[in-house]
Amino acid sequence: MTSQLAQLNVGVPVGPRDDPRMAGFYADIDRINEMADGWPGFVWRLVDESGADATSLRPFGGDLMVNMSVWTSLEALREYTFRSGHLDVLRRRREWFVPLGEAHHVMWWVPEGHRPTLGEARERLDLLRSAGPTEKAFTFRDTFAAI
């Protein structure tokens, strides 16, 4: 069976959507999502009821925003993350999101066609936070081959 790569990012914004400090983030979200949707290796991303993005979702409580997607490979996600316009946005993360002091991004392998649930994603993030990188929950710095 072929595996695909799931990823979850979480973050607490520095303010609500209408906060001027968040203007740059929200001004660019559609462009970044459209770029991801058309990027080679992109499979799926979580969206809210609007169908545009997941910025209104708070499944883990409080102000914790989520972003979750599936890619055909680690290489495809790496290329998108670090070799596209996404990198410029990533570099500005601290302008828009409060440092969490713990892991805010996790990746794991899923069977081709599987769409991870938010519960599954939370378990993987919790596993990374408690056990460090493993074949079940890892980061770009410490990757593992598909299982």
Side-chain angles (χ1 to χ4, degrees):
M1 175 174 277
T2 303
S3 294
Q4 295 181 322
L5 186 72
Q7 73 81 32
L8 171 75
N9 280 298
V10 298
V12 175
V14 296
R17 186 178 185 105
D18 60 354
D19 187 310
R21 297 174 296 172
M22 295 299 295
F25 174 79
Y26 284 106
D28 222 13
I29 191 103
D30 290 341
R31 180 184 71 82
I32 293 300
N33 285 335
E34 287 174 16
M35 187 185 323
D37 292 350
W39 199 263
F42 172 82
V43 175
W44 169 87
R45 69 182 164 87
L46 178 69
V47 296
D48 59 23
E49 290 179 6
S50 75
D53 58 52
T55 58
S56 71
L57 299 177
R58 300 294 188 276
F60 306 142
D63 291 329
L64 197 66
M65 292 174 72
V66 298
N67 171 296
M68 186 166 61
S69 57
V70 174
W71 296 77
T72 57
S73 67
L74 176 62
E75 294 75 23
L77 178 57
R78 188 185 309 273
E79 286 293 312
Y80 170 71
T81 302
F82 300 113
R83 299 208 182 354
S84 73
H86 181 270
L87 182 58
D88 296 331
V89 174
L90 189 60
R91 286 182 176 135
R92 297 181 64 192
R93 179 178 176 90
R94 286 184 174 86
E95 291 177 40
W96 303 313
F97 295 93
V98 176
L100 294 181
E102 59 187 344
H104 60 82
H105 178 253
V106 64
M107 298 182 290
W108 69 100
W109 295 105
V110 297
E112 184 175 1
H114 177 71
R115 301 299 174 257
T117 66
L118 285 163
E120 176 184 347
R122 181 60 192 240
E123 287 175 10
R124 299 300 175 132
L125 183 60
D126 290 345
L127 178 60
L128 177 65
R129 287 174 173 175
S130 67
T134 68
E135 67 279 351
K136 293 183 178 183
F138 52 92
T139 66
F140 277 121
R141 179 171 285 159
D142 297 294
T143 61
F144 289 81
I147 52 176

